[in-house]
């Protein structure tokens, strides 16, 4: 049978449609400080008097992790503290004043997410980024610093809880990311730290479970965190086109929600950043506006890296 040009074109289209998009050809909504429960009444009252600006910046809350994932969120952020005395990593935002969490310790958070993943094995890879909290804040007790031993212990916890579902930095990366159908049900873990923590972690980085937020010239460069999509719009686009995965933020410190300002949100999506993080995947009714960064039904095709044949299903 002779194939006409029209038939060849149709066959080409069907073949392309049947090909799974790559990991860098999607875009999705994430949540910022995903574990966070609202401030207690006592803390709110104290901050209203002592530091109203801090109250405004901290006055947001999230649904439990599994509920967020049900809503279409595909990137989570966890802030952890170091407790070497019992080997745990408490989860919270600011020591003493903002420690209310849907999962008070890292293992609990990971188990909640892993349970959801097990129940939804066709999900696109879930991103989880980690901030290691040990900074000095005037008027509050200093947290225990993270050191190389703490980072090694963190690696062990991640491996014990998520195991073979972790997408290993040493085997995948730009520009040839795997196809979604080959990595569904997995996790992309990201260490969002610089300085000494990054220097400790980059030793033997190929065998570590977390990607690092490093300069593009670094051999481990794969996932970039560029949090201002207006200021960094061109840079994000360039990084995306070069094959890097990028996370940015649609809003920060409740400002955009209070003003119902969508400029930053719109720039975040248009930039091609893969993960667009927000505190408002549901309408911002707590600040009396309808500002929202909706998950749009879950992951969708990336406006910069995908083509017209892109189709994403979970």
């Amino acid at each position: 049978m002779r194939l006409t040009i029209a038939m060849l074109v149709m066959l080409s289209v069907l073949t392309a449609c049947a090909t799974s998009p790559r990991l860098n050809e999607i875009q999705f909504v994430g949540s910022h400080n995903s574990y966070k429960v609202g401030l207690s009444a006592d803390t709110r009252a104290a901050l209203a008097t002592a530091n109203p600006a801090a109250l405004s910046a901290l006055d947001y809350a999230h649904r439990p992790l599994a509920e967020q994932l049900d809503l279409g969120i595909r990137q989570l952020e966890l802030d952890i503290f170091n407790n070497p005395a019992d080997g745990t990593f408490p989860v919270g935002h600011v020591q003493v004043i903002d420690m209310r969490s849907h999962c008070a310790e890292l293992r609990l958070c990971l188990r909640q997410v892993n349970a959801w993943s097990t129940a939804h094995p066709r999900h696109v890879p879930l991103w989880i980024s980690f901030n290691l909290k040990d900074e000095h804040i005037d008027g509050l007790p200093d947290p225990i610093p993270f050191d190389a031993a703490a980072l090694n212990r963190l690696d062990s916890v991640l491996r014990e809880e998520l195991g073979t579902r972790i997408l290993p930095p040493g085997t995948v990366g730009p520009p040839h990311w795997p196809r979604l159908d080959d990595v569904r049900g997995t996790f992309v873990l990201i260490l969002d730290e610089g300085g000494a923590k990054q220097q400790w972690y980059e030793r033997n980085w190929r065998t570590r479970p977390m990607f690092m937020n490093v300069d593009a010239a670094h051999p481990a460069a794969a996932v970039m965190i560029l949090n201002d999509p207006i200021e960094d719009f061109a840079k994000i686009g360039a990084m995306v086109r070069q094959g890097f995965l990028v996370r940015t933020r649609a809003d920060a410190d409740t400002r955009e929600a209070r003003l119902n300002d969508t400029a930053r949100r719109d720039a975040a999506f248009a930039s091609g950043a893969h993960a667009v993080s927000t505190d408002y995947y549901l309408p911002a009714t707590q600040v009396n506006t309808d500002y929202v960064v909706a998950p749009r039904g879950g992951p969708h095709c990336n406006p910069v890296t995908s083509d017209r044949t892109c189709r994403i299903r979970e």
Side-chain angles (χ1 to χ4, degrees):
M1 181 181 69
R2 295 181 61 187
L3 295 177
T4 65
I5 292 178
M7 293 171 66
L8 288 170
V9 170
M10 180 61 70
L11 181 61
S12 172
V13 170
L14 290 174
T15 301
C17 289
T19 301
S20 170
R22 294 191 182 276
L23 187 55
N24 66 322
E25 294 176 343
I26 66 174
Q27 188 177 65
F28 46 87
V29 172
S31 60
H32 163 251
N33 294 343
S34 311
Y35 55 85
K36 193 175 182 301
V37 176
L39 297 170
S40 70
D42 288 345
T43 298
R44 289 176 59 85
L47 287 176
T49 300
N51 194 335
L55 173 59
S56 177
L58 297 175
D59 196 14
Y60 61 93
H62 287 299
R63 299 289 183 91
L65 299 182
E67 290 187 22
Q68 293 180 47
L69 296 172
D70 284 341
L71 289 168
I73 294 299
R74 292 297 179 266
Q75 177 254 320
L76 302 172
E77 181 182 29
L78 300 176
D79 294 337
I80 60 174
F81 290 79
N82 181 25
N83 188 355
D86 63 4
T88 63
F89 293 103
V91 175
H93 186 214
V94 180
Q95 54 266 37
V96 180
I97 66 172
D98 195 14
M99 292 295 293
R100 302 179 74 202
S101 173
H102 287 294
C103 43
E105 200 274 326
L106 177 59
R107 287 186 187 271
L108 298 178
C109 298
L110 297 176
R111 288 170 186 174
Q112 290 176 15
V113 176
N114 201 28
W116 185 92
S117 176
T118 299
H120 303 82
R122 293 288 297 165
H123 68 77
V124 304
L126 300 179
W127 292 23
I128 309 178
S129 61
F130 299 88
N131 291 130
L132 312 187
K133 309 290 281 190
D134 57 7
E135 61 267 32
H136 169 81
I137 299 176
D138 289 344
L140 298 176
D142 286 338
I144 297 172
F146 279 81
D147 56 14
L151 288 166
N152 291 336
R153 182 159 44 87
L154 174 58
D155 279 359
S156 295
V157 170
L158 297 174
R159 290 190 178 105
E160 288 166 12
E161 297 298 335
L162 302 179
T164 58
R165 295 186 184 211
I166 298 171
L167 202 58
T171 61
V172 296
H176 304 297
W177 291 100
R179 297 198 178 276
L180 288 184
D181 284 351
D182 295 328
V183 290
R184 291 183 182 275
T186 62
F187 299 95
V188 173
L189 307 181
I190 307 157
L191 177 65
D192 185 10
E193 292 289 344
K197 297 170 194 171
Q198 182 189 104
Q199 292 170 14
W200 288 325
Y201 203 76
E202 67 185 354
R203 301 169 188 170
N204 303 316
W205 65 268
R206 293 182 187 278
T207 62
R208 300 277 200 176
M210 289 188 284
F211 292 89
M212 296 181 294
N213 179 29
V214 294
D215 184 81
H218 194 289
V223 181
M224 304 291 183
I225 297 179
L226 298 166
N227 283 327
D228 190 334
I230 293 179
E231 179 179 332
D232 292 328
F233 186 84
K235 185 175 182 180
I236 292 172
M239 293 293 99
V240 168
R241 290 181 180 89
Q242 290 176 46
F244 296 103
L245 302 181
V246 179
R247 178 259 202 179
T248 194
R249 290 182 64 180
D251 41 75
D253 300 325
T254 77
R255 289 189 302 266
E256 286 74 19
R258 293 178 187 278
L259 297 171
N260 201 12
D261 180 357
T262 62
R264 182 168 173 163
R265 177 198 70 186
D266 297 344
F269 283 114
S271 72
H274 304 86
V276 177
S277 181
T278 181
D279 292 319
Y280 301 99
Y281 44 84
L282 296 174
T285 54
Q286 65 269 47
V287 294
N288 298 317
T289 73
D290 60 2
Y291 176 85
V292 67
V293 181
R296 295 171 59 181
H300 51 271
C301 297
N302 189 292
V304 172
T305 56
S306 65
D307 60 30
R308 63 185 180 84
T309 67
C310 175
R311 301 289 186 276
I312 297 174
R313 298 181 179 85
E314 283 192 314

